[in-house]
């Protein structure tokens, strides 16, 4: 049915199709339901009738078999006929026959009527002499009466159901016409007369005093929409006026800011640009708009180390893989001068999911970037000069600090009143060893003094990481002497010292203990060394088990190390006995190292 404006169709024609469709739908649905329910009812009646027929046959078997057998045995013909007549009046029985060896003795009913079920009952008489076969009772049962009953019931059910369905459909049609169709017609009439030029026309679908229903709420929602539409129209007029003013202001701002705009039409392969865009790429508007393949010309102007990647990104945007692209570009103008631009590309229209128009915005940043590059170069030069002067100043400061520390240590050693005592001790030891060399020529002592005389106590100082040096030495002594170290020292501590001096002191003590160890036997107990770095001094404690390691406090090795510690570092090296252990204790001021 073709769509026709509601105003051109009479009210009766507008309502009739809806009513007919509703009537047909209701009749078809209700008829289907009635047929299904009637079929269920008839099937139930049929099953009940068949059950009653089966029950009748069972009753014949249980009630008449013995009576007929007895009458037949006594040759009581009258009683036998009465019994057979009683069997024939059961529901559905159309023929009853009593025969013996193929001979019909008695029969009642029509032999040729169609039978739907048969019952055969053998007749046997039992007495004291045995069992005697008297004959067979045959009962034929037909469902014709049941079928006629069901047919009549089906006709009554269908007629009553049709009258009920038709009455309900007519009443429902009248109600729908009264409550729905007529009010919908009013909505259609209102919609045909409503327009944006006449938005004040209000929709009225209810009469005064009618209760409100869903259509009433629909009409109220339409009126609310009409009110909202009026407000939107008013706001749109204001926005249109503001947009015109804004476009004028934006055009002035674009001209003042020298912004370049260009619209690229992919279907026509043409540029439509303003004067700023043409000027920035070194051309004019007519030449740009008359270019063949203008996008290829635009891409060929891109240069710089990122040119290949940037051109590929633009091609991806033109193929529809991106929507927007913004980046800084280097481009060559007609004079082959390199210029810098901030360029944005935005797809503004699609056709068949492919970009149709692309907006290009361009801003010239050449002067700004050149000034920025010059500023960056000047800043780098200034930073390099500051770093160089800072490095020189730091080196000078370190050198002055080293010289000051050396002078302070020299002054402290010169002021120390124990220097002559240490020198006297060293001289006495030398004299004692010389006498022994003259008599017994002990070679280890000779080697020890040679190492001592080779030491330079005041020169050959270098920057030494004392903590790293201690860790390295302890790893070696652990392998050589089985030394167990417990270090409580920082990660790094820089001092100015000749590493040969502390190495000589510690090695001399360990060698002295090792010589005494060779004289003992059995399982040896390892040495243990504990080192702490305090606020202003270094403290070390060497523990030697008395049963395996021995360092005598009056031995020349211990006295030499004690004198050297006092002479070089103004340190205290002491020896004490504690239970079955010997403890060598060293306190070394860090200011002297």
């Amino acid at each position: 049915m073709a769509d026709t404006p509601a105003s051109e169709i009479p009210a009766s024609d507008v309502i009739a199709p809806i009513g007919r469709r509703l009537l047909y739908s209701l009749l078809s649905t209700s008829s289907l339901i009635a047929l299904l329910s009637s079929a269920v009812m008839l099937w139930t009646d049929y099953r009940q009738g068949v059950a009653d027929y089966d029950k009748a046959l069972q009753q014949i078997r249980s009630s008449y078999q013995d009576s007929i057998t007895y009458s037949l045995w006594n040759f009581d013909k009258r009683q036998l006929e009465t019994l057979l007549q009683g069997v024939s009046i059961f529901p559905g029985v159309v023929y009853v026959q009593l025969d013996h060896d193929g001979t019909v003795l008695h029969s009642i009913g029509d032999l040729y009527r169609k039978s739907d079920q048969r019952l055969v009952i053998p007749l046997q008489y039992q007495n004291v002499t045995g069992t005697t076969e008297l004959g067979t009772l045959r009962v034929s049962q037909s469902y014709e009466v049941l079928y006629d009953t069901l047919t009549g019931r089906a006709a009554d059910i269908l007629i009553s159901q049709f009258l009920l369905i038709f009455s309900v459909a007519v009443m429902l049609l009248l109600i729908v016409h009264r409550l729905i169709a007529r009010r919908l017609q009013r909505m259609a009439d209102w919609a045909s007369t409503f327009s944006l030029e006449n938005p004040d026309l209000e929709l009225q679908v209810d009469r005064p005093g009618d209760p409100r229903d869903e259509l009433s709420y629909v009409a109220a929602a339409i009126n609310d929409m009409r009110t909202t539409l009026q407000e939107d129209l008013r706001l749109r007029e204001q926005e249109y006026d503001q947009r015109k003013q804004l476009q004028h202001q934006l055009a002035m701002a674009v001209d003042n800011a020298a912004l370049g705009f260009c619209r690229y039409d992919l279907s026509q392969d043409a540029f439509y640009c303003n004067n700023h865009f043409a000027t920035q790429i070194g051309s004019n508007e007519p030449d740009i708009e008359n270019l063949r393949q203008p996008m290829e010309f635009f891409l060929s102007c891109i240069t710089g180390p990122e040119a290949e990647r940037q051109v590929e990104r633009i091609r991806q945007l033109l193929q529809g893989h991106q929507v927007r692209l913004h980046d800084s570009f280097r481009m060559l103008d007609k004079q082959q001068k390199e210029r810098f631009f901030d360029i944005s590309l935005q797809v503004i229209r699609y056709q068949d999911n492919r970009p149709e128009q692309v907006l290009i915005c361009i801003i010239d940043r050449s002067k700004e970037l050149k000034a920025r590059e010059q500023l960056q170069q000047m800043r780098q030069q200034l930073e390099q000069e500051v770093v160089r002067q800072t490095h020189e100043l730091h080196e000078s400061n370190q050198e002055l600090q080293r010289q000051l520390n050396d002078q302070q240590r020299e002054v402290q050693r010169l002021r120390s009143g124990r220097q002559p005592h240490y020198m006297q001790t060293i001289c006495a030891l030398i004299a004692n060893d010389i006498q022994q060399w003259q008599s017994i020529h002990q070679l280890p002592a000779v080697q020890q003094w040679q190492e001592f005389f080779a030491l330079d106590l005041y020169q050959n100082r270098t920057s030494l990481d004392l903590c790293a040096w201690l860790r390295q030495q302890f790893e070696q002594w652990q392998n050589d002497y089985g030394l167990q170290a417990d270090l409580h020292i920082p990660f790094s501590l820089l001092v100015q010292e000749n590493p040969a001096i502390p190495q000589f002191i510690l090695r001399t003590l360990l060698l002295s203990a090792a010589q005494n160890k060779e004289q003992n036997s059995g399982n040896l107990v390892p040495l243990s060394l504990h080192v702490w770095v305090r606020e202003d001094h270094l403290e070390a404690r060497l523990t030697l088990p008395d049963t395996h390691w021995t360092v005598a406090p009056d031995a020349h090795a211990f006295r030499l190390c004690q004198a050297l510690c006092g002479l070089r570092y103004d340190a205290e090296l002491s020896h004490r006995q504690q239970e079955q252990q010997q403890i060598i204790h060293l306190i070394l001021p860090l200011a002297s190292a």
Side-chain angles (χ1 to χ4, degrees):
M1 183 177 178
D3 294 336
T4 306
S7 59
E8 299 179 4
I9 302 177
S12 59
D13 294 338
V14 174
I15 298 176
I18 299 177
R20 284 199 298 269
R21 287 197 298 271
L22 181 61
L23 180 62
Y24 295 156
S25 300
L26 183 60
L27 288 176
S28 60
T29 305
S30 301
S31 299
L32 179 61
I33 296 174
L35 289 174
L36 292 176
S37 61
S38 300
V40 172
M41 294 171 62
L42 293 175
W43 174 253
T44 303
D45 293 343
Y46 171 75
R47 298 297 299 172
Q48 182 64 35
V50 171
D52 292 342
Y53 280 20
D54 293 339
K55 186 177 180 181
L57 293 179
Q58 295 296 330
Q59 188 175 359
I60 292 173
R61 179 186 295 273
S62 61
S63 301
Y64 286 84
Q65 183 178 3
D66 295 339
S67 299
I68 294 175
T69 301
Y70 184 77
S71 299
L72 190 61
W73 174 260
N74 293 325
F75 299 100
D76 190 350
K77 185 177 181 181
R78 180 178 298 176
Q79 180 66 25
L80 186 61
E81 289 178 353
T82 302
L83 292 174
L84 294 178
Q85 186 67 33
V87 171
S88 64
I89 64 175
F90 275 86
V93 176
V94 295
Y95 181 70
V96 181
Q97 175 181 307
L98 181 63
D99 59 66
H100 178 68
D101 293 335
T103 301
V104 178
L105 301 179
H106 294 280
S107 65
I108 297 176
D110 189 357
L111 175 62
Y112 299 103
R113 289 185 66 178
K114 178 183 178 182
S115 62
D116 296 299
Q117 189 173 200
R118 289 183 175 87
L119 176 64
V120 178
I121 303 174
L123 302 176
Q124 299 175 350
Y125 183 77
Q126 297 179 354
N127 53 15
V128 295
T129 60
T131 302
T132 303
E133 296 288 341
L134 300 180
T136 303
L137 176 64
R138 304 180 187 275
V139 181
S140 298
Q141 196 177 47
S142 176
Y143 291 165
E144 291 181 359
V145 177
L146 177 62
Y147 291 153
D148 293 340
T149 303
L150 292 177
T151 301
R153 180 169 173 75
D156 294 339
I157 291 174
L158 291 176
I159 292 174
S160 61
Q161 291 287 342
F162 175 77
L163 292 177
L164 177 62
I165 292 171
F166 186 78
S167 301
V168 172
V170 171
M171 294 300 297
L172 184 61
L173 180 62
L174 294 176
I175 294 173
V176 169
H177 173 69
R178 169 68 178 80
L179 297 179
I180 299 177
R182 186 169 61 184
R183 299 164 76 186
L184 291 177
Q185 178 61 35
R186 292 177 185 174
M187 291 184 180
D189 295 339
W190 175 86
S192 63
T193 58
F194 180 78
S195 64
L196 296 179
E197 287 78 11
N198 185 25
D200 298 330
L201 181 61
E202 186 177 0
L203 174 62
Q204 294 288 343
V205 297
D206 295 327
R207 295 178 180 178
D210 289 346
R212 295 177 62 82
D213 53 12
E214 287 80 358
L215 290 179
S216 303
Y217 290 115
V218 171
I222 293 175
N223 288 323
D224 293 339
M225 181 186 66
R226 178 183 59 82
T227 304
T228 304
L229 185 60
Q230 287 179 320
E231 184 65 21
D232 291 342
L233 289 174
R234 185 182 63 80
L235 294 176
R236 184 171 298 180
E237 291 178 356
Q238 293 180 358
E239 291 177 356
Y240 178 74
D241 296 337
Q242 294 176 358
R243 189 181 300 112
K244 290 180 64 177
Q245 296 178 2
L246 184 61
Q247 288 178 350
H248 178 69
Q249 296 173 0
L250 182 60
M252 294 178 61
V254 169
D255 292 336
N256 293 332
L259 296 176
F261 285 92
C262 177
R263 181 171 54 87
Y264 174 48
D265 194 326
L266 279 77
S267 60
Q268 300 179 4
D269 195 15
F271 274 3
Y272 302 97
C273 63
N274 62 355
N275 185 47
H276 293 306
F277 182 89
T279 303
Q280 288 170 350
I281 63 175
S283 184
N284 52 57
E285 292 185 56
D287 292 342
I288 294 296
E289 295 178 355
N290 294 329
L291 277 176
R292 293 183 178 180
Q293 297 182 343
M295 181 55 71
E296 295 298 328
F297 168 75
F298 181 79
L299 296 178
S300 65
C301 295
I302 300 176
T303 184
E306 300 291 330
E308 184 176 354
R309 181 184 64 83
Q310 292 173 341
V311 170
E312 180 62 26
R313 291 182 63 190
I314 294 177
R315 294 190 187 278
Q316 291 290 330
L317 183 139
L318 297 177
Q319 293 175 3
H321 300 301
Q322 297 186 29
V323 178
R324 185 178 182 274
L325 172 61
H326 177 78
D327 203 350
S328 297
F329 291 79
R330 295 187 181 189
M331 302 185 68
L332 297 176
D333 58 10
K334 282 190 174 182
Q335 290 76 24
Q336 298 300 313
K337 292 183 179 179
E338 189 177 62
R339 305 178 68 178
F340 300 90
F341 299 95
D342 284 347
I343 301 178
S344 297
L345 294 93
Q346 175 77 44
V347 180
I348 58 175
R349 181 179 297 176
Y350 288 88
Q351 184 177 7
D352 298 332
N353 294 328
R354 301 281 295 180
E356 183 182 11
Q357 290 186 1
V358 178
L359 180 64
I360 305 174
C361 302
I362 181 171
I363 301 176
D364 191 354
R365 300 292 189 187
S366 301
K367 295 181 179 180
E368 179 182 347
L369 289 179
K370 289 181 179 179
R372 189 178 300 171
E373 289 179 355
Q374 294 177 357
L375 179 60
Q376 185 68 19
Q377 293 177 358
M378 295 175 61
R379 185 179 298 169
Q380 291 179 356
Q381 293 176 358
L382 180 60
E383 289 179 355
Q384 292 175 358
E385 183 66 22
V386 170
V387 170
R388 185 184 63 81
Q389 293 183 2
T390 302
H391 182 68
E392 292 179 355
L393 181 60
H394 180 68
E395 290 183 349
S396 300
N397 188 22
Q398 285 186 341
E399 182 64 26
L400 292 175
Q401 186 66 33
R402 284 196 296 269
Q403 295 177 3
L404 179 61
N405 291 337
D406 293 341
Q407 292 178 1
Q408 288 178 353
R409 283 194 292 268
E410 291 296 331
V411 171
Q412 186 175 2
R413 278 193 293 271
L414 292 175
R415 291 180 178 179
S416 175
R418 302 177 63 185
Q419 295 277 341
H421 170 71
Y422 295 131
M423 292 302 296
Q424 291 176 3
T425 302
I426 292 173
C427 292
L429 293 173
I430 293 173
N432 188 19
D433 285 333
I434 290 175
Q435 291 178 358
Q436 293 180 2
W437 295 340
Q438 293 175 353
S439 59
I440 58 177
H441 305 286
Q442 294 181 354
L443 295 179
V446 175
Q447 183 180 0
Q448 192 175 88
W449 283 112
Q450 287 177 350
E451 293 179 0
F452 172 76
F453 289 140
L455 294 177
D456 191 342
L457 301 181
Y458 302 103
Q459 302 297 329
N460 294 334
R461 297 180 181 178
T462 60
S463 294
L464 175 65
D465 189 345
L466 182 60
C467 296
W469 180 84
L470 286 174
R471 294 189 186 95
Q472 181 181 1
Q473 295 298 319
F474 290 158
E475 290 179 0
Q476 179 180 353
W477 295 334
Q478 182 179 7
N479 298 328
D480 296 342
Y481 307 107
L483 181 66
Q484 294 182 352
D486 182 16
L487 304 180
H488 300 275
I489 58 177
F491 180 77
S492 177
L493 178 62
L494 294 177
V495 296
Q496 294 294 324
E497 181 57 289
N498 183 2
I501 299 176
Q503 186 176 9
F504 174 80
I505 296 173
L506 294 175
R507 187 174 67 249
T508 301
L509 291 174
L510 292 174
L511 286 174
S512 176
Q515 291 175 0
N516 296 324
K517 179 195 71 170
E518 295 176 355
Q519 301 175 1
N520 299 320
S521 60
N523 296 327
L524 299 181
V525 180
L527 303 175
S528 61
L529 178 64
H530 301 270
V531 180
W532 298 271
V533 174
R534 309 300 186 183
E535 294 182 358
D536 56 350
H537 65 277
L538 181 142
E539 182 178 354
R541 186 176 64 189
L542 179 64
T543 304
L544 301 92
D546 202 7
T547 57
H548 297 84
W549 305 81
T550 304
V551 176
D554 55 351
H556 77 280
F558 179 78
R559 294 174 61 195
L560 177 60
C561 294
Q562 187 179 33
L564 185 56
C565 287
L567 179 64
R568 178 65 184 89
Y569 303 112
D570 195 17
E572 295 182 4
L573 182 66
S574 60
H575 178 282
R576 61 187 175 91
Q577 184 75 26
Q578 182 177 354
E579 295 180 354
Q580 295 181 357
Q581 294 179 344
Q582 296 184 28
I583 298 177
I584 298 177
H585 193 251
L586 172 66
I587 298 180
L588 189 147
L590 294 177
S592 62

